[in-house]
Amino acid sequence: MGLLKQLWPSARFWFGLSLITCWGMAGVIWRDGQGLYRIQDDARQHVFWMQRFEDPGLFPNDWIADYFQSVAPWGYSHLYRLASLLGFDPLTFNKLLPLLLSLLTTVLVIQVSWRLLPVASVGFVSSVILNLSLWMKDDLVSGTPRAFVVPLLLGFLWALLSENAITTAIAIFMTGLFYPQLVLIEGGVLLLQGLGIAQTSPPKRRLALLGLMTVVLVLSPYLLLSNPWGPVLTRETGLGLAELAPQGRSAFFYEDVAHFWFSSDRSGLIPGYTPLALWVGVLLPLLLRVRQPFPLLGKLRGQSILSQLLLSSLGCFVLAHLMLFRLHLPSRYTHHSLRVLLSLAAGIVVVAIAHGIFSQPATHHLLGAVNRLLAVIFVLGVVASPLWLWTSFQTAYYDGTAPEIYRYLQNTPNDSLVAGVDGEIDNIPSFGRRPILTGLEYMIPYHWGYYAQVRDRFIALIEAQYSLHPEPVRRFIADYDLDYWLIRHDDFSLDYLQQHYWLNRMANSPRPEDSLRQAIQGAFRTLEQGQTPVLATLGDRCNVAPSPHYWLLDTRCILTTFDSET
């Protein structure tokens, strides 16, 4: 509080400007998020089941909904539950939440920046760079658990820099409620502090001890309780799956070693989709070695926490690779923390360089003027970069394209089960509020107890939809007690399959023995040979919801039609 009072008279302008810039960038929500049937990509996985808060009877005995509900962190799911009690439906709250998190992130990054270097403008520069980095990736905008990682990490750093053990313990506890994986990184930082590693000041052993006790308490349920969706996918099993091969839905095992270790979104060390300004932060160690031209760095304090955050993140990254996939994806341990670390460092570097240039006495007037001009251009190039990077902001919003089908399904029994190959099936749980048999959006492979079943369902669906005979279709409908079959008008066109992003990629997967790849290739062969699947002969005879691009076929009508033709 003393630091805040000291800075506040000169900081009000920069703080206000930071908030204005934050909301300006967050305006991308209004640009891309408008529409009744418009939803963020990952929200289709993590939010659809929360409609149970409004109607507990939704998705009865639904394998997919039960899975995503069970793996949702407690704090995350209960925040949405609270929003539901306040009158916000989950899909609407999902669009509002990133705005609140962006504001919280801005406030926290300013607070942390000021504790590292008590200069008001540093907080502004760091907040601009961090917000820019966040909006160029679809993490924050998703409103899913990973949207909370950056504000949670900043809250932890703020508590540590405040040297308050109770606040630090609370920050760790909150992290466990929303994103438990991050607790491992926080625990690593505390361990390094307790041991005095990469520490320029005396070790804070009491604070570290209380923090580590909190880490153990928070992680104990995950260590002691059995996972109902286990076992976790192993490296050996993953290597044989088409989905994890380079062409797969969850591509992980790339043959390009450099891409695998450094730039891959799931296995790589370095975050992608970042502004150039973020990487200015790598200059901080160099500036610290040659401090004389940058007198502002003499006020820097607590910078060892940045080194400890880096070491802890790298350690967790290596551990996640060694324990693949028991700690989920290795990239989760560096991508978020590096964005935070580099944003803080970049803010310090930009202000320190500008201050150094303007504070140096000019031995030559022309040279001094040029240096000052370059400093102004450098600073403006960083803080004004959102103006020309606006079009690079990623929101990954998707439009539902079958409103007639959504409305029809909402008037069917809650347990009405829908199947289909087209990507529109992924929107049915969110907009139609009815369970689906399987969908590529929900094929998350890391818990084998869950994934083995949805994978088998997808294989059976492909084989039935492109079957040339009625009997496999009859058996499929009976086996899964299917009520409706969603068919796109061009589902049985070879051009359609070749343009289907995931099906086409997996059909060419380098895993020839994989059963999913073989099922998809079988569909391709059927159409390549000019044969007509039996479902294609139905036309719209069993369609119950007229739509410009889709048929929603009643499976009872399908069976009746088959019986009448035999």
Side-chain angles (χ1 to χ4, degrees):
M1 291 301 297
L3 175 65
L4 185 58
K5 289 177 182 178
Q6 176 188 341
L7 282 175
W8 189 242
S10 62
R12 284 178 294 182
F13 169 76
W14 295 109
F15 186 75
L17 189 59
S18 298
L19 296 181
I20 292 171
T21 306
C22 157
W23 281 97
M25 285 189 267
V28 70
I29 295 286
W30 280 276
R31 183 192 75 181
D32 295 350
Q34 299 296 318
L36 178 62
Y37 297 119
R38 193 158 177 78
I39 189 171
Q40 207 280 332
D41 183 24
D42 289 333
R44 293 187 292 180
Q45 299 171 7
H46 297 280
V47 178
F48 82 93
W49 64 267
M50 294 183 183
Q51 295 174 106
R52 285 173 164 174
F53 297 153
E54 301 173 311
D55 182 357
L58 289 179
F59 309 110
N61 302 313
D62 181 4
W63 188 258
I64 296 174
D66 289 347
Y67 171 74
F68 282 99
Q69 180 171 357
S70 70
V71 299
W74 190 92
Y76 171 73
S77 60
H78 279 73
L79 178 64
Y80 273 84
R81 184 185 293 273
L82 175 61
S84 181
L85 293 174
L86 295 176
F88 295 96
D89 73 85
L91 300 184
T92 299
F93 184 66
N94 177 258
K95 294 179 181 179
L96 296 176
L97 184 58
L99 304 177
L100 302 177
L101 291 176
S102 178
L103 177 62
L104 178 61
T105 297
T106 300
V107 172
L108 286 172
V109 72
I110 290 173
Q111 290 285 335
V112 174
S113 296
W114 285 350
R115 278 161 175 76
L116 290 169
L117 184 60
V119 176
S121 55
V122 170
F124 168 69
V125 177
S126 291
S127 72
V128 170
I129 293 174
L130 180 57
N131 275 295
L132 181 59
S133 175
L134 293 178
W135 288 111
M136 290 181 68
K137 187 77 167 63
D138 65 338
D139 291 332
L140 178 65
V141 73
S142 71
T144 63
R146 75 175 191 269
F148 292 80
V149 176
V150 168
L152 287 169
L153 181 55
L154 287 169
F156 170 74
L157 296 177
W158 170 76
L160 270 187
L161 289 168
S162 302
E163 299 184 7
N164 188 311
I166 300 300
T167 307
T168 301
I170 293 173
I172 296 168
F173 182 74
M174 292 298 295
T175 301
L177 292 179
F178 286 89
Y179 202 84
Q181 294 161 260
L182 182 59
V183 175
L184 292 174
I185 295 178
E186 295 174 351
V189 172
L190 288 166
L191 182 61
L192 292 172
Q193 287 213 344
L195 296 175
I197 297 175
Q199 183 87 9
T200 55
S201 58
K204 305 176 182 66
R205 291 194 172 90
R206 293 183 61 185
L207 186 151
L209 179 60
L210 179 60
L212 287 170
M213 290 171 61
T214 309
V215 167
V216 173
L217 178 66
V218 168
L219 294 181
S220 292
Y222 299 94
L223 298 173
L224 300 176
L225 298 179
S226 60
N227 185 339
W229 305 100
V232 174
L233 181 70
T234 65
R235 179 184 180 86
E236 291 72 24
T237 302
L239 282 168
L241 296 179
E243 301 91 303
L244 272 70
Q247 298 289 334
R249 162 69 178 83
S250 300
F252 187 90
F253 295 106
Y254 291 96
E255 295 178 0
D256 184 333
V257 175
H259 178 63
F260 176 81
W261 284 105
F262 294 103
S263 56
S264 167
D265 191 48
R266 295 182 176 90
S267 64
L269 177 71
I270 301 171
Y273 305 102
T274 58
L276 182 61
L278 183 72
W279 298 98
V280 172
V282 302
L283 297 176
L284 182 58
L286 177 61
L287 266 61
L288 290 174
R289 292 180 66 88
V290 290
R291 287 176 183 246
Q292 187 174 359
F294 311 105
L296 202 62
L297 294 180
K299 297 183 178 182
L300 190 63
R301 57 189 182 184
Q303 67 268 28
S304 59
I305 199 172
L306 300 181
S307 302
Q308 291 162 345
L309 176 59
L310 177 61
L311 291 174
S312 179
S313 299
L314 292 176
C316 290
F317 173 80
V318 172
L319 189 62
H321 269 288
L322 293 174
M323 299 181 64
L324 208 66
F325 292 91
R326 282 171 285 177
L327 297 180
H328 198 41
L329 298 174
S331 63
R332 299 293 188 262
Y333 296 96
T334 56
H335 286 197
H336 302 295
S337 54
L338 284 179
R339 289 177 193 273
V340 171
L341 190 156
L342 289 171
S343 296
L344 293 169
I348 295 170
V349 167
V350 170
V351 174
I353 289 177
H355 177 269
I357 291 175
F358 277 91
S359 63
Q360 291 292 326
T363 56
H364 189 283
H365 290 297
L366 179 59
L367 182 60
V370 171
N371 286 340
R372 287 175 170 80
L373 177 61
L374 291 176
V376 170
I377 294 173
F378 173 57
V379 174
L380 289 179
V382 171
V383 299
S385 52
L387 296 177
W388 57 79
L389 289 175
W390 172 262
T391 56
S392 300
F393 289 3
Q394 299 292 320
T395 54
Y397 278 107
Y398 282 78
D399 284 312
T401 58
E404 302 87 358
I405 290 175
Y406 308 147
R407 289 192 289 267
Y408 177 87
L409 288 172
Q410 288 173 8
N411 293 309
T412 62
N414 284 348
D415 62 350
S416 298
L417 185 62
V418 188
V421 170
D422 185 77
E424 183 59 42
I425 195 71
D426 296 327
N427 294 325
I428 295 298
S430 298
F431 300 139
R433 297 163 68 100
R434 292 299 178 265
I436 62 173
L437 182 69
T438 188
L440 284 168
E441 185 65 23
Y442 307 93
M443 294 181 69
I444 307 301
Y446 307 111
H447 288 131
W448 191 248
Y450 159 78
Y451 185 62
Q453 183 165 143
V454 295
R455 189 178 203 269
D456 288 345
R457 290 177 175 185
F458 197 86
I459 292 171
L461 170 62
I462 288 286
E463 292 175 344
Q465 180 154 325
Y466 292 92
S467 170
L468 300 176
H469 308 287
E471 189 52 38
V473 178
R474 286 196 185 97
R475 188 165 55 250
F476 176 75
I477 292 172
D479 286 347
Y480 294 103
D481 196 19
L482 190 66
D483 296 292
Y484 298 99
W485 208 314
L486 182 67
I487 302 288
R488 186 180 175 90
H489 292 175
D490 52 3
D491 263 359
F492 303 104
S493 159
L494 181 60
D495 287 341
Y496 164 77
L497 278 190
Q498 291 173 338
Q499 294 172 15
H500 193 296
Y501 185 71
W502 290 120
L503 293 184
N504 188 47
R505 286 168 65 91
M506 288 195 287
N508 295 288
S509 167
R511 302 289 187 269
E513 303 303 320
D514 182 87
S515 55
L516 177 57
R517 178 185 188 267
Q518 292 175 351
I520 296 171
Q521 282 188 326
F524 272 84
R525 282 195 300 270
T526 295
L527 299 183
E528 286 168 354
Q529 294 169 1
Q531 297 177 303
T532 303
V534 67
L535 282 179
T537 65
L538 294 176
D540 63 350
R541 280 181 287 174
C542 296
N543 186 29
V544 293
S547 173
H549 305 292
Y550 300 94
W551 296 316
L552 185 66
L553 305 183
D554 188 317
T555 56
R556 292 170 299 181
C557 173
I558 293 175
L559 297 176
T560 300
T561 303
F562 286 164
D563 290 340
S564 67
E565 292 178 353
T566 57

